[in-house]
Amino acid sequence: MTVPNEYVELPELGERFNDCQLEEIYMNHGEADVKLDIESAPWYWGDISRSEVNELMESQPDGSFLVRNATTYGDYTLTLKKGGVNKLIKIYQNQSGKYGFSEPNHFDSVVHLVDYFSANTLQTYNAKLDIKLFYPVTKNKRDSVSIPSTVLCS
């Protein structure tokens, strides 16, 4: 069974974040840890194909995600499962070195972006993405996605 992919168009960040939210982003992600290495992130898969991602995501629950290299050098693709469909969201790096889904980019690293959207819904970017990055799909089988019993019993 193949998993359908759905590209998501995302409006500009600046129109959706207020100053308080932006201040919270920067307070939670100080300059001391700006250089977090994406290579060590368990949800980062590097150079894998879309078909490999589809296989990995096939049996995963909504809220599962991973990040891989995009075909454009320096950019990444976030794959998020929502409604049983893989949503492919491009993560761009601008000329200032900031990351985001669209200009203006506000995150110092992809790790900061993932951390932020693990705690906050992606509705900031797209009203249809009323979901957080809940379950990282990791390279290490021991760390694979597990659904908490509270989710299964609700």
Side-chain angles (χ1 to χ4, degrees):
M1 176 180 157
T2 59
V3 178
N5 292 303
E6 184 174 307
Y7 284 92
V8 179
E9 292 296 323
L10 301 168
E12 290 196 18
L13 175 66
E15 297 174 9
R16 301 287 178 120
F17 273 117
N18 63 39
D19 289 339
C20 294
Q21 290 168 314
L22 288 174
E23 185 177 337
E24 180 183 345
I25 292 169
Y26 292 113
M27 284 175 53
N28 291 334
H29 304 292
E31 289 187 29
D33 62 349
V34 164
K35 303 260 185 216
L36 288 176
D37 183 17
I38 190 169
E39 299 284 336
S40 63
W43 39 257
Y44 173 67
W45 285 77
D47 290 321
I48 64 169
S49 69
R50 186 185 305 173
S51 62
E52 290 172 300
V53 170
N54 287 341
E55 283 182 38
L56 290 166
M57 298 291 286
E58 187 171 359
S59 62
Q60 302 300 334
D62 281 3
S64 297
F65 71 95
L66 63 81
V67 175
R68 66 182 171 96
N69 293 341
T71 54
T72 307
Y73 179 78
D75 294 337
Y76 300 92
T77 300
L78 168 68
T79 302
L80 168 67
K81 185 78 149 283
K82 177 161 183 346
V85 176
N86 291 340
K87 307 290 185 177
L88 306 176
I89 306 169
K90 186 93 171 257
I91 301 171
Y92 298 95
Q93 182 181 24
N94 65 16
Q95 292 179 347
S96 302
K98 301 285 186 176
Y99 293 88
F101 301 125
S102 61
E103 286 291 348
N105 295 345
H106 293 282
F107 297 94
D108 292 317
S109 71
V110 175
V111 174
H112 287 146
L113 181 145
V114 169
D115 285 348
Y116 182 81
F117 287 108
S118 293
N120 299 279
T121 164
L122 278 96
Q123 275 184 308
T124 309
Y125 286 112
N126 184 308
K128 294 179 183 179
L129 293 177
D130 58 338
I131 193 166
K132 297 177 186 175
L133 303 178
F134 283 120
Y135 310 112
V137 177
T138 64
K139 292 179 270 193
N140 185 342
K141 294 287 184 199
R142 292 178 300 134
D143 296 334
S144 62
V145 173
S146 62
I147 305 171
S149 59
T150 55
V151 173
L152 295 174
C153 300
S154 57

